[in-house]
Amino acid sequence: MVAYVNTKAEVKTLADVRVTSANAVEAVSRLPEDRAIYFVPDMFLGAHVTRATGRKMDLFLGECHVHAGFHRLKKEAPEKAFFPVKPDAVCEYMKRIALEKVYLSLKEMRHAIRMPEEVAKRARRALEAMVHGGRGLMERLTADLLILGAGVAGVYAALAAKERGARVLLASKDPLPAGSTPWAQGGVAFPVGEEDLEAHLRDTLTAGRGLVEEGVARSILEEAPRHLERLRAFGLPFHPEPTREGGHSRARVFHLGGDRSGLLLLQGLLERLSAP
């Protein structure tokens, strides 16, 4: 039996392999061809795995109410694209697992889940089959620094850590280049000379309308010219002449490739990060 990770512990005690939505296709494709498969509990995920692998499986007729609604719409109008616009078009149970709770669980051992030792022992078998005995279904990695998010902030931090000799693991939920950075069309604002620092700060405070911490903004602006020179030293093709844009009292916005500044900036940093 192959069980999706979001099942009760008692169900996991019966499973041979536990899977996530991300590795279910790979997990099933690696199972022996002559092995019968019973997939629980989401029939829509099971149907997707069947289509992707060509493996015939017996599916438990369970469903997620959100997936069920989208599945019906896609079946009735396959030529259309559907996007959730209502708050109830999300799984309320998945939303309970917030990143903050995961962090505190790991750091301070909060939110403990206790169960009978025998149930835990038998349920752990399916997890270990996925992590260790699943012929590469999951790989265990070690690093000095784990960075979650591969936008420009995450990649720039990873690059700084790598240059200091740290082993860095950069995690992204999407293929690179990822994050919001590639969508940024505007350039990057830097103070133009020391005489521009106070004017840039005033512009920032004015545009922020009370939401900007002055000390934080000043610190960022004081450091900004050094980072501009560093980025140029990486070979990033900033236009030599800045432009004036909304909220600025003078020209101080530097672009890369016109309206593709975010994408080119991120691609340049990724190339630098992947270099030996």
Side-chain angles (χ1 to χ4, degrees), residues 166-204:
R167 296 174 302 165
V168 182
L169 182 61
L170 182 67
S172 171
K173 66 183 181 66
D174 298 310
L176 300 178
S180 299
T181 303
W183 300 103
Q185 296 180 333
V188 188
F190 297 91
V192 184
E194 293 183 8
E195 71 282 359
D196 185 40
L197 177 61
E198 294 301 324
H200 196 165
L201 179 61
R202 286 195 300 272
D203 290 345
T204 302

Short mmCIF file of all heavy atoms in Angstrom, two decimals, residues 166-204:
data_model
loop_
_atom_site.label_atom_id
_atom_site.label_comp_id
_atom_site.label_asym_id
_atom_site.label_seq_id
_atom_site.Cartn_x
_atom_site.Cartn_y
_atom_site.Cartn_z
N ALA A 166 31.21 28.62 3.75
CA ALA A 166 30.11 27.82 4.29
C ALA A 166 29.54 26.90 3.22
O ALA A 166 29.52 27.24 2.03
CB ALA A 166 29.02 28.73 4.83
N ARG A 167 29.07 25.73 3.65
CA ARG A 167 28.33 24.84 2.77
C ARG A 167 26.87 25.27 2.82
O ARG A 167 26.24 25.22 3.87
CB ARG A 167 28.48 23.39 3.23
CG ARG A 167 29.89 22.84 3.16
CD ARG A 167 29.94 21.46 3.78
NE ARG A 167 29.48 21.49 5.17
CZ ARG A 167 29.15 20.41 5.86
NH1 ARG A 167 29.20 19.21 5.31
NH2 ARG A 167 28.76 20.52 7.12
N VAL A 168 26.35 25.69 1.68
CA VAL A 168 25.03 26.32 1.64
C VAL A 168 24.06 25.44 0.88
O VAL A 168 24.38 24.90 -0.18
CB VAL A 168 25.10 27.70 0.96
CG1 VAL A 168 23.73 28.37 0.98
CG2 VAL A 168 26.13 28.58 1.66
N LEU A 169 22.87 25.30 1.44
CA LEU A 169 21.77 24.61 0.76
C LEU A 169 20.68 25.63 0.51
O LEU A 169 20.10 26.18 1.45
CB LEU A 169 21.24 23.46 1.61
CG LEU A 169 20.11 22.62 1.00
CD1 LEU A 169 20.57 21.96 -0.29
CD2 LEU A 169 19.62 21.57 1.99
N LEU A 170 20.42 25.92 -0.76
CA LEU A 170 19.41 26.90 -1.16
C LEU A 170 18.16 26.15 -1.61
O LEU A 170 18.20 25.40 -2.58
CB LEU A 170 19.95 27.77 -2.29
CG LEU A 170 19.06 28.90 -2.81
CD1 LEU A 170 18.88 29.96 -1.73
CD2 LEU A 170 19.66 29.52 -4.06
N ALA A 171 17.07 26.34 -0.89
CA ALA A 171 15.83 25.60 -1.17
C ALA A 171 14.83 26.50 -1.88
O ALA A 171 14.56 27.62 -1.46
CB ALA A 171 15.23 25.08 0.13
N SER A 172 14.26 25.98 -2.96
CA SER A 172 13.26 26.72 -3.73
C SER A 172 12.11 25.79 -4.08
O SER A 172 12.33 24.64 -4.45
CB SER A 172 13.88 27.27 -5.02
OG SER A 172 12.90 27.81 -5.87
N LYS A 173 10.89 26.30 -3.95
CA LYS A 173 9.73 25.48 -4.31
C LYS A 173 9.48 25.46 -5.81
O LYS A 173 8.69 24.65 -6.29
CB LYS A 173 8.48 25.97 -3.58
CG LYS A 173 7.99 27.33 -3.98
CD LYS A 173 6.79 27.75 -3.15
CE LYS A 173 6.25 29.12 -3.55
NZ LYS A 173 5.69 29.13 -4.89
N ASP A 174 10.14 26.34 -6.54
CA ASP A 174 9.96 26.43 -7.99
C ASP A 174 11.31 26.29 -8.69
O ASP A 174 12.36 26.54 -8.10
CB ASP A 174 9.34 27.77 -8.38
CG ASP A 174 7.96 27.96 -7.78
OD1 ASP A 174 7.14 27.02 -7.91
OD2 ASP A 174 7.70 29.02 -7.20
N PRO A 175 11.31 25.89 -9.96
CA PRO A 175 12.56 25.85 -10.72
C PRO A 175 13.19 27.23 -10.80
O PRO A 175 12.50 28.25 -10.88
CB PRO A 175 12.11 25.35 -12.11
CG PRO A 175 10.80 24.69 -11.88
CD PRO A 175 10.14 25.42 -10.75
N LEU A 176 14.52 27.26 -10.79
CA LEU A 176 15.24 28.54 -10.87
C LEU A 176 15.24 29.06 -12.30
O LEU A 176 15.27 28.28 -13.24
CB LEU A 176 16.67 28.35 -10.37
CG LEU A 176 16.81 27.86 -8.93
CD1 LEU A 176 18.28 27.67 -8.59
CD2 LEU A 176 16.15 28.82 -7.95
N PRO A 177 15.21 30.40 -12.47
CA PRO A 177 15.12 31.45 -11.45
C PRO A 177 13.72 31.52 -10.86
O PRO A 177 12.73 31.42 -11.58
CB PRO A 177 15.46 32.72 -12.23
CG PRO A 177 15.06 32.42 -13.64
CD PRO A 177 15.33 30.96 -13.85
N ALA A 178 13.67 31.69 -9.53
CA ALA A 178 12.40 31.58 -8.83
C ALA A 178 12.12 32.83 -8.00
O ALA A 178 12.90 33.78 -7.98
CB ALA A 178 12.41 30.34 -7.95
N GLY A 179 11.00 32.78 -7.29
CA GLY A 179 10.63 33.88 -6.43
C GLY A 179 9.95 35.01 -7.18
O GLY A 179 9.58 34.87 -8.35
N SER A 180 9.80 36.13 -6.53
CA SER A 180 9.14 37.29 -7.14
C SER A 180 10.12 38.15 -7.94
O SER A 180 9.69 38.97 -8.75
CB SER A 180 8.49 38.15 -6.05
OG SER A 180 7.51 37.41 -5.35
N THR A 181 11.41 37.97 -7.70
CA THR A 181 12.41 38.82 -8.35
C THR A 181 12.30 38.86 -9.87
O THR A 181 12.40 39.94 -10.46
CB THR A 181 13.83 38.38 -7.94
OG1 THR A 181 13.94 38.43 -6.51
CG2 THR A 181 14.88 39.29 -8.55
N PRO A 182 12.10 37.73 -10.57
CA PRO A 182 12.05 37.80 -12.04
C PRO A 182 10.94 38.69 -12.58
O PRO A 182 10.99 39.13 -13.73
CB PRO A 182 11.83 36.34 -12.45
CG PRO A 182 12.40 35.54 -11.34
CD PRO A 182 12.08 36.33 -10.10
N TRP A 183 9.92 38.96 -11.75
CA TRP A 183 8.80 39.79 -12.21
C TRP A 183 9.09 41.28 -12.02
O TRP A 183 8.30 42.11 -12.50
CB TRP A 183 7.53 39.42 -11.44
CG TRP A 183 7.14 37.99 -11.63
CD1 TRP A 183 7.33 36.97 -10.75
CD2 TRP A 183 6.54 37.41 -12.78
NE1 TRP A 183 6.86 35.79 -11.26
CE2 TRP A 183 6.37 36.03 -12.52
CE3 TRP A 183 6.11 37.92 -14.01
CZ2 TRP A 183 5.80 35.17 -13.45
CZ3 TRP A 183 5.53 37.06 -14.92
CH2 TRP A 183 5.38 35.69 -14.63
N ALA A 184 10.17 41.62 -11.33
CA ALA A 184 10.48 43.03 -11.06
C ALA A 184 11.00 43.70 -12.33
O ALA A 184 12.06 43.34 -12.83
CB ALA A 184 11.50 43.14 -9.94
N GLN A 185 10.26 44.65 -12.85
CA GLN A 185 10.66 45.34 -14.08
C GLN A 185 11.51 46.57 -13.81
O GLN A 185 12.30 46.98 -14.64
CB GLN A 185 9.41 45.74 -14.88
CG GLN A 185 8.59 44.55 -15.37
CD GLN A 185 7.36 44.97 -16.15
OE1 GLN A 185 6.83 46.05 -15.94
NE2 GLN A 185 6.93 44.12 -17.06
N GLY A 186 11.30 47.19 -12.64
CA GLY A 186 12.05 48.39 -12.31
C GLY A 186 13.49 48.09 -11.97
O GLY A 186 13.87 46.93 -11.78
N GLY A 187 14.29 49.14 -11.89
CA GLY A 187 15.69 48.97 -11.54
C GLY A 187 15.90 48.97 -10.03
O GLY A 187 14.97 48.75 -9.26
N VAL A 188 17.14 49.20 -9.63
CA VAL A 188 17.52 49.21 -8.21
C VAL A 188 18.01 50.61 -7.87
O VAL A 188 18.84 51.17 -8.59
CB VAL A 188 18.62 48.17 -7.92
CG1 VAL A 188 18.87 48.07 -6.43
CG2 VAL A 188 18.24 46.82 -8.50
N ALA A 189 17.49 51.18 -6.79
CA ALA A 189 17.83 52.55 -6.39
C ALA A 189 19.04 52.55 -5.46
O ALA A 189 19.06 51.80 -4.47
CB ALA A 189 16.65 53.22 -5.73
N PHE A 190 20.03 53.38 -5.78
CA PHE A 190 21.21 53.55 -4.96
C PHE A 190 21.48 55.05 -4.79
O PHE A 190 21.27 55.82 -5.74
CB PHE A 190 22.45 52.92 -5.62
CG PHE A 190 22.37 51.44 -5.80
CD1 PHE A 190 21.87 50.90 -6.97
CD2 PHE A 190 22.83 50.58 -4.82
CE1 PHE A 190 21.80 49.52 -7.16
CE2 PHE A 190 22.77 49.20 -5.00
CZ PHE A 190 22.27 48.68 -6.17
N PRO A 191 21.96 55.50 -3.62
CA PRO A 191 22.36 56.90 -3.50
C PRO A 191 23.49 57.21 -4.48
O PRO A 191 24.42 56.42 -4.65
CB PRO A 191 22.85 57.01 -2.06
CG PRO A 191 22.25 55.84 -1.35
CD PRO A 191 22.13 54.76 -2.37
N VAL A 192 23.38 58.36 -5.15
CA VAL A 192 24.40 58.75 -6.12
C VAL A 192 25.39 59.68 -5.41
O VAL A 192 25.24 60.90 -5.39
CB VAL A 192 23.77 59.46 -7.33
CG1 VAL A 192 24.84 59.78 -8.37
CG2 VAL A 192 22.68 58.59 -7.95
N GLY A 193 26.39 59.09 -4.79
CA GLY A 193 27.39 59.87 -4.06
C GLY A 193 26.95 60.14 -2.63
O GLY A 193 25.77 60.03 -2.28
N GLU A 194 27.92 60.51 -1.78
CA GLU A 194 27.63 60.75 -0.37
C GLU A 194 26.66 61.90 -0.18
O GLU A 194 25.85 61.90 0.76
CB GLU A 194 28.94 61.04 0.37
CG GLU A 194 29.89 59.85 0.45
CD GLU A 194 31.13 60.17 1.27
OE1 GLU A 194 31.16 61.27 1.88
OE2 GLU A 194 32.05 59.35 1.30
N GLU A 195 26.73 62.90 -1.07
CA GLU A 195 25.86 64.06 -0.94
C GLU A 195 24.39 63.72 -1.17
O GLU A 195 23.49 64.50 -0.80
CB GLU A 195 26.29 65.17 -1.91
CG GLU A 195 26.02 64.88 -3.37
CD GLU A 195 27.01 63.93 -4.03
OE1 GLU A 195 27.95 63.49 -3.32
OE2 GLU A 195 26.85 63.64 -5.23
N ASP A 196 24.12 62.57 -1.76
CA ASP A 196 22.75 62.19 -2.08
C ASP A 196 22.12 61.36 -0.96
O ASP A 196 20.92 61.08 -1.00
CB ASP A 196 22.71 61.40 -3.40
CG ASP A 196 21.30 61.09 -3.86
OD1 ASP A 196 20.41 61.96 -3.71
OD2 ASP A 196 21.06 59.97 -4.34
N LEU A 197 22.89 60.93 0.02
CA LEU A 197 22.38 60.03 1.05
C LEU A 197 21.18 60.62 1.80
O LEU A 197 20.14 59.97 1.93
CB LEU A 197 23.49 59.68 2.04
CG LEU A 197 23.08 58.79 3.22
CD1 LEU A 197 22.57 57.44 2.72
CD2 LEU A 197 24.24 58.59 4.18
N GLU A 198 21.32 61.86 2.28
CA GLU A 198 20.24 62.47 3.05
C GLU A 198 19.00 62.69 2.19
O GLU A 198 17.87 62.51 2.65
CB GLU A 198 20.71 63.78 3.68
CG GLU A 198 21.80 63.61 4.73
CD GLU A 198 21.36 62.72 5.88
OE1 GLU A 198 20.17 62.77 6.26
OE2 GLU A 198 22.20 61.96 6.40
N ALA A 199 19.19 63.09 0.94
CA ALA A 199 18.05 63.31 0.05
C ALA A 199 17.34 61.99 -0.24
O ALA A 199 16.10 61.93 -0.26
CB ALA A 199 18.52 63.95 -1.25
N HIS A 200 18.12 60.94 -0.45
CA HIS A 200 17.52 59.62 -0.70
C HIS A 200 16.74 59.16 0.52
O HIS A 200 15.65 58.58 0.40
CB HIS A 200 18.63 58.62 -1.06
CG HIS A 200 18.11 57.37 -1.69
ND1 HIS A 200 18.94 56.48 -2.35
CD2 HIS A 200 16.87 56.84 -1.77
CE1 HIS A 200 18.21 55.47 -2.82
NE2 HIS A 200 16.95 55.66 -2.45
N LEU A 201 17.30 59.41 1.70
CA LEU A 201 16.62 59.02 2.93
C LEU A 201 15.31 59.78 3.07
O LEU A 201 14.28 59.19 3.42
CB LEU A 201 17.52 59.29 4.13
CG LEU A 201 16.93 58.96 5.51
CD1 LEU A 201 16.59 57.48 5.60
CD2 LEU A 201 17.89 59.36 6.62
N ARG A 202 15.31 61.08 2.79
CA ARG A 202 14.08 61.87 2.87
C ARG A 202 13.03 61.34 1.89
O ARG A 202 11.84 61.23 2.23
CB ARG A 202 14.36 63.35 2.59
CG ARG A 202 15.07 64.08 3.72
CD ARG A 202 14.98 65.58 3.52
NE ARG A 202 15.60 65.99 2.26
CZ ARG A 202 16.87 66.30 2.12
NH1 ARG A 202 17.70 66.22 3.17
NH2 ARG A 202 17.35 66.69 0.95
N ASP A 203 13.47 61.03 0.68
CA ASP A 203 12.53 60.48 -0.31
C ASP A 203 11.92 59.17 0.18
O ASP A 203 10.72 58.92 0.00
CB ASP A 203 13.24 60.25 -1.64
CG ASP A 203 13.62 61.54 -2.34
OD1 ASP A 203 13.10 62.60 -1.95
OD2 ASP A 203 14.43 61.48 -3.28
N THR A 204 12.74 58.34 0.80
CA THR A 204 12.28 57.04 1.28
C THR A 204 11.26 57.21 2.41
O THR A 204 10.21 56.55 2.43
CB THR A 204 13.46 56.19 1.77
OG1 THR A 204 14.40 56.03 0.69
CG2 THR A 204 13.01 54.82 2.24
#
